[in-house]
Amino acid sequence: MRGLVWAVVGLLGIIGPSYADVQDTGAHLLHTLDYLRVDYPSTVKDGKVINAEEYHEQLEFATEASKLLQQLPPAATTPALTTMANALNEAIQQRRTGAEVARIASQLAQQVSSQYAIVITPTQSPDLAVGARLFAENCVACHGATGMGDGPRAAELSPKPANFHASDRQSQRDIYSLFSTISLGVAETAMVGFTQFNREQRWSLAFYVSNFLFSDSQRQRGAEMWKNPELQKAFSSLGQLTSATPAEIQQRFGNDGLAVLAYLRAHPEIIQAPKSASHLAFARQHLQMALAAAKQDQYESGYQHAATAYLEGFEMVESALNAQDHALKSDIEKEMTIVRGMFQNRSASTAIESRVLALDALLSQADALLSEEKGSAWVNASGAFIILLREGLEAILVLAAIFAYLSKSAQPSSTRRYIHAGWIAALLLGVVTWWVAARFIVITGENREVMEGSIGLIAAAMLIYVGYWLHNQTHTQQWQTYIRDKLSATGSGTWTLISVSFLAVYREVFETVLFYETMWLQADAQNQSYIILGFILAAGVLSILGWAMFRFSVRLPLRLFFNVNSALLYALAVVLAGKGVAALQAAGTLPTHSVNLPAIDLLGLYPTLQGLLLQLSLILLAVIWLATNKIRQRASV
């Protein structure tokens, strides 16, 4: 069975590096460039080194930046980026002015961020109350209660903790710079990366810390100046807010602009669009960036933008849209798959442009649909209902087949305990997954798809094995022999069924947990109650369906029972195989070659050549095996 899984993966041709690898390397590179931009100016003056130790660190940072750049996938702009990185190294070695080094570092960071679609913006409005709590619990000991760098541990630390009131340094830092430091830490200092916080928590902490630089009077004045249309245009998105440095804003707009920046850092929710709209706007923005990359023959960069548009944009509102308009959701999902495949296959930019424009129109339609406030209660309740019902039904089908089989065995009561343990363990692990994901780690769109796809393919392989085994028990004589050997109670067959029950349930629980987590974060207190209502209703329906399946399946005649169960499990394996491939393709782990066919989510059918070939191969394998089995039976008569 393990060989089958690896054969399937090998047949499909896994590629790399993954989206997460690029994001991680890119984030480290931007973090390094930010420290060069902010710290270098204080180490050199008039061509002379002021602090030899810190200047040596700048040389190390520049070398590290070049190494990180080389780790990113090759792209059409790689030579230009390399030239820029070399220019940065040369400028530092020649001890040029801080302004020139900062300019080169900033330009390189912007080009890298654009080329590889590095996510540098929060996907929802940061909560400063959360940031204040995290700061009090984790940062006061070093940075002090007011961020002056005078905490109880400050005296024993070298270098000293940052003083967030120091305008000479903090005015050069944007909020992403703070977020990056919180996420990754600073080498050879007491500042560690707070990886135990999820992404939203780190953004909240970064926003909270960014406010130490400003006074209450500046924020009050900013509230008045926010009425200025020019300033509203300058801060029309969270991305513009997180990437703006105080020094840059003051240079462009004077003290009025600085006051508005202070006000918005304290109240980011003011410029935050409705959450569904912001995710779709994020997706549309990255699709346009993908199109721009295609026109410059930068297909690797374009693919990264297209993948980001799906994983961190559209997928965040997929469940809500599915509740309102399933057909529209399916059309968008299909078009996004086609667009990603076109980048992988290096299609003509004119063809990509046509698809992107059509996709943009669909996303605009979804935006208008989800922006209707009157439907929010229905969307949340029905979305929660559909998600649990859809995922739970697949798991129940597998469990019903297993329990029906156990009802025919010699010792059903003893074995059932293990099957119950399997699916209960899956539910408990699902709760743990939710708790860990919400508090300690960031499960990105790619992480989710990779895990769903991997579990799906493994579960499919195990279901094929169980279906094959059940079909072999069709004849009463074979079944009686199996009973006498007591394999149903203690043999490897029982543990296979236990494993299947665990994997089948956990795969659905994992997907359900992450969809519910997304919906919960997007909903306000009132709509969260509708999510709970949808969950309860779906759980009730699943209980009734499960009871009916368990009750009536055990009444099947022995021969018919085994045939029906083996066919059902094999059919579910084909469905899970299709879904597993689709999930890995969405994550960019598998290549994508689109075909002009409709997607049928219920059957795990998606319009990609890899998934359809795998499913057709499994169906053909079953037909060949059944035909061979028939021939052998006739020959033995």
Side-chain angles (χ1 to χ4, degrees):
M1 185 166 53
R2 182 173 58 185
L4 175 61
V5 175
W6 285 113
V8 168
V9 174
L11 176 65
L12 292 169
I14 290 180
I15 59 172
S18 70
Y19 168 80
D21 293 333
V22 174
Q23 288 291 311
D24 184 60
T25 302
H28 278 80
L29 176 54
L30 296 184
H31 181 58
T32 302
L33 292 172
D34 177 68
Y35 266 83
L36 284 169
R37 179 179 61 83
V38 175
D39 287 359
Y40 175 82
S42 63
T43 64
V44 173
K45 185 176 181 180
D46 298 329
K48 296 182 179 179
V49 175
I50 300 173
N51 187 315
E53 184 177 352
E54 291 187 5
Y55 175 73
H56 181 69
E57 288 181 354
Q58 302 305 301
L59 292 172
E60 290 181 352
F61 278 135
T63 302
E64 179 66 14
S66 296
K67 290 180 180 178
L68 290 169
L69 182 60
Q70 292 172 7
Q71 294 174 20
L72 291 170
T77 59
T78 296
L81 294 175
T82 302
T83 299
M84 201 176 297
N86 291 337
L88 179 62
N89 272 276
E90 183 179 344
I92 294 175
Q93 290 171 2
Q94 295 180 358
R95 303 169 186 175
R96 296 182 188 171
T97 65
E100 183 175 357
V101 169
R103 176 182 57 79
I104 299 174
S106 295
Q107 290 178 348
L108 180 55
Q110 290 171 2
Q111 292 294 322
V112 168
S113 178
S114 175
Q115 171 71 52
Y116 295 101
I118 309 302
V119 179
I120 59 174
T121 306
T123 56
Q124 62 186 55
S125 183
D127 188 339
L128 267 69
V130 171
R133 175 177 59 80
L134 294 175
F135 186 85
E137 294 174 354
N138 301 274
C139 310
V140 168
C142 296
H143 294 284
T146 60
M148 297 287 290
D150 57 355
R153 291 190 55 207
E156 63 190 55
L157 298 179
S158 179
K160 298 298 182 185
N163 177 1
F164 296 116
H165 296 263
S167 60
D168 57 337
R169 191 169 192 276
Q170 298 303 320
S171 63
Q172 305 297 324
R173 306 189 72 182
D174 55 30
I175 301 178
Y176 178 72
S177 169
L178 295 167
F179 170 83
S180 181
T181 300
I182 292 168
S183 302
L184 303 173
V186 182
E188 299 181 4
T189 73
M191 180 64 194
V192 297
F194 286 90
T195 54
Q196 68 270 33
F197 301 157
N198 64 33
R199 190 175 179 86
E200 287 74 25
Q201 288 173 323
R202 282 178 276 142
W203 273 115
S204 295
L205 181 54
F207 265 79
Y208 177 77
V209 168
S210 75
N211 279 277
F212 284 124
L213 182 61
F214 303 107
S215 65
D216 288 339
S217 60
Q218 283 178 296
R219 284 184 276 270
Q220 291 170 3
R221 186 183 178 198
E224 299 174 2
M225 298 307 301
W226 178 234
K227 301 173 184 178
N228 186 325
E230 185 180 6
L231 291 172
Q232 289 184 357
K233 184 178 180 180
F235 296 107
S236 60
S237 69
L238 276 178
Q240 290 174 308
L241 177 58
T242 55
S243 62
T245 67
E248 172 204 0
I249 295 301
Q250 186 169 34
Q251 184 178 9
R252 289 176 59 192
F253 302 107
N255 290 331
D256 289 348
L258 199 61
V260 168
L261 178 63
Y263 172 61
L264 294 177
R265 283 187 172 188
H267 301 282
E269 70 280 358
I270 291 174
I271 60 171
Q272 171 72 336
K275 289 168 184 170
S276 61
S278 67
H279 287 304
L280 290 174
F282 180 86
R284 296 172 72 182
Q285 176 188 5
H286 277 274
L287 284 171
Q288 291 303 317
M289 295 167 75
L291 177 58
K295 291 180 177 179
Q296 299 177 20
D297 293 330
Q298 299 175 7
Y299 288 94
E300 295 84 358
S301 173
Y303 177 80
Q304 291 297 327
H305 283 294
T308 301
Y310 177 74
L311 294 170
E312 308 299 337
F314 174 71
E315 200 173 40
M316 298 297 102
V317 298
E318 181 182 353
S319 57
L321 180 60
N322 187 62
Q324 291 230 59
D325 192 330
H326 175 75
L328 179 59
K329 170 258 179 187
S330 298
D331 288 343
I332 293 175
E333 202 167 39
K334 177 182 176 181
E335 288 298 318
M336 284 194 155
T337 299
I338 291 174
V339 168
R340 293 197 304 273
M342 293 176 79
F343 276 101
Q344 288 182 325
N345 299 327
R346 305 182 75 86
S347 301
S349 61
T350 53
I352 293 177
E353 182 174 17
S354 177
R355 283 288 186 179
V356 169
L357 290 176
L359 180 53
D360 187 76
L362 292 175
L363 290 171
S364 178
Q365 185 180 344
D367 195 349
L369 187 64
L370 292 177
S371 296
E372 296 178 3
E373 291 295 330
K374 61 182 180 181
S376 59
W378 161 251
V379 167
N380 282 282
S382 59
F385 178 84
I386 291 171
I387 288 171
L388 183 60
L389 185 65
R390 182 186 66 189
E391 307 300 337
L393 188 58
E394 289 187 16
I396 284 179
L397 284 172
V398 177
L399 292 177
I402 294 173
F403 277 112
Y405 150 68
L406 291 176
S407 296
K408 302 285 185 178
S409 68
Q411 297 175 324
S413 59
S414 60
T415 308
R416 285 186 179 186
R417 290 198 299 267
Y418 297 102
I419 307 301
H420 283 302
W423 69 262
I424 291 173
L427 290 180
L428 292 176
L429 185 57
V431 174
V432 172
T433 300
W434 167 78
W435 186 74
V436 171
R439 287 164 174 77
F440 298 107
I441 62 174
V442 180
I443 297 184
T444 65
E446 188 201 16
N447 297 149
R448 176 173 61 248
E449 298 290 356
V450 168
M451 190 163 185
E452 287 176 11
S454 301
I455 293 174
L457 289 179
I458 294 172
M462 297 192 71
L463 285 173
I464 290 171
Y465 171 79
V466 174
Y468 166 81
W469 175 83
L470 280 176
H471 188 83
N472 280 345
Q473 313 307 319
T474 298
H475 300 288
T476 304
Q477 182 64 36
Q478 292 172 317
W479 174 241
Q480 295 299 332
T481 300
Y482 179 77
I483 293 297
R484 285 196 302 268
D485 293 339
K486 297 182 179 180
L487 291 176
S488 60
T490 59
S492 60
T494 296
W495 287 107
T496 299
L497 295 178
I498 294 172
S499 300
V500 169
S501 70
F502 173 83
L503 285 171
V505 174
Y506 182 67
R507 181 194 179 278
E508 309 306 332
V509 169
F510 178 80
E511 187 172 359
T512 302
V513 163
L514 294 179
F515 273 125
Y516 268 89
E517 177 71 9
T518 300
M519 290 185 67
W520 191 266
L521 290 173
Q522 292 177 354
D524 55 25
Q526 181 179 0
N527 283 314
Q528 285 175 350
S529 65
Y530 288 105
I531 294 175
I532 296 174
L533 175 62
F535 177 89
I536 293 173
L537 290 175
V541 171
L542 286 174
S543 299
I544 295 172
L545 289 175
W547 173 83
M549 289 181 184
F550 296 152
R551 180 175 180 83
F552 295 111
S553 63
V554 297
R555 298 182 179 180
L556 292 172
L558 185 62
R559 184 182 181 88
L560 179 60
F561 158 75
F562 280 120
N563 280 329
V564 169
N565 261 18
S566 60
L568 173 62
L569 292 179
Y570 202 91
L572 286 172
V574 173
V575 171
L576 287 179
K579 290 189 173 185
V581 171
L584 292 175
Q585 287 175 325
T589 307
L590 294 180
T592 302
H593 292 81
S594 301
V595 294
N596 189 23
L597 290 172
I600 307 177
D601 185 69
L602 184 64
L603 300 180
L605 294 174
Y606 301 97
T608 68
L609 186 62
Q610 288 79 4
L612 292 174
L613 282 178
L614 175 61
Q615 290 178 306
L616 287 174
S617 299
L618 292 177
I619 294 172
L620 182 62
L621 180 65
V623 171
I624 293 174
W625 182 82
L626 287 172
T628 303
N629 203 36
K630 275 285 187 186
I631 294 172
R632 288 176 179 174
Q633 289 178 13
R634 289 175 182 175
S636 63
V637 174

